[in-house]
Amino acid sequence: MLIRYSKNFEKGKKELNKKHKVKELDMLDSIVLLIKRSDTYELMKNSPLAYLYGFEELKEDKNGFFSFRLSKKRSPIRLIGRYQDNIVTIQLVYISMDHYNDFNPKGVILYDE
């Protein structure tokens, strides 16, 4: 799948690096690899690795977005993304430091890889 990144995603990645969150950065790399290797959104979300990484589809005002835990523990740090269509594009839009309570879906600005 094509991956698109938001400016807020890149800021979050820098923040993880600055706080020496090595395990979370490693998990992020593993999740991005899972996404790249998946042919469709449905295959990605139903894969055993998605379950291992705590995949969930968000609800209410964040409907249309999904998240992955960035650690195997019950961490509040999450990768937030969404898909544009089932086959082509996944958008990595935000790295939440507070279980996506700090995420505002209206502020998503994307650029291509």
Side-chain angles (χ1 to χ4, degrees):
M1 279 193 275
L2 172 68
I3 297 179
R4 296 182 74 203
Y5 300 89
S6 76
K7 292 179 181 181
N8 287 330
F9 169 82
E10 295 297 336
K11 286 180 190 175
K13 193 170 176 181
K14 286 179 186 175
E15 187 70 20
L16 286 176
N17 200 26
K18 188 166 67 173
K19 292 183 176 183
H20 307 290
K21 299 285 189 182
V22 176
K23 289 180 183 177
E24 287 83 355
L25 286 166
D26 289 345
M27 186 72 77
L28 177 63
D29 290 341
S30 297
I31 292 167
V32 170
L33 189 59
L34 165 68
I35 293 168
K36 285 182 178 180
R37 289 183 174 169
S38 300
D39 291 332
T40 67
Y41 174 76
E42 291 297 319
L43 288 173
M44 179 199 71
K45 80 174 192 175
N46 292 315
S47 78
L49 287 175
Y51 176 77
L52 177 68
Y53 300 142
F55 174 87
E56 66 179 344
E57 292 181 322
L58 306 184
K59 298 176 180 81
E60 298 172 13
D61 65 327
K62 296 168 183 71
N63 189 25
F65 291 88
F66 61 85
S67 77
F68 285 99
R69 278 194 314 265
L70 290 183
S71 99
K72 291 183 181 177
K73 303 179 223 170
R74 294 271 180 211
S75 170
I77 302 175
R78 304 271 177 158
L79 167 64
I80 298 174
R82 69 177 171 190
Y83 71 96
Q84 281 184 298
D85 54 62
N86 191 37
I87 298 173
V88 181
T89 306
I90 291 287
Q91 302 170 344
L92 301 182
V93 298
Y94 195 70
I95 295 176
S96 170
M97 302 297 174
D98 186 25
H99 198 263
Y100 51 82
N101 291 321
D102 54 354
F103 172 58
N104 178 3
K106 294 177 184 169
V108 175
I109 300 169
L110 298 167
Y111 65 93
D112 290 326
E113 179 180 37

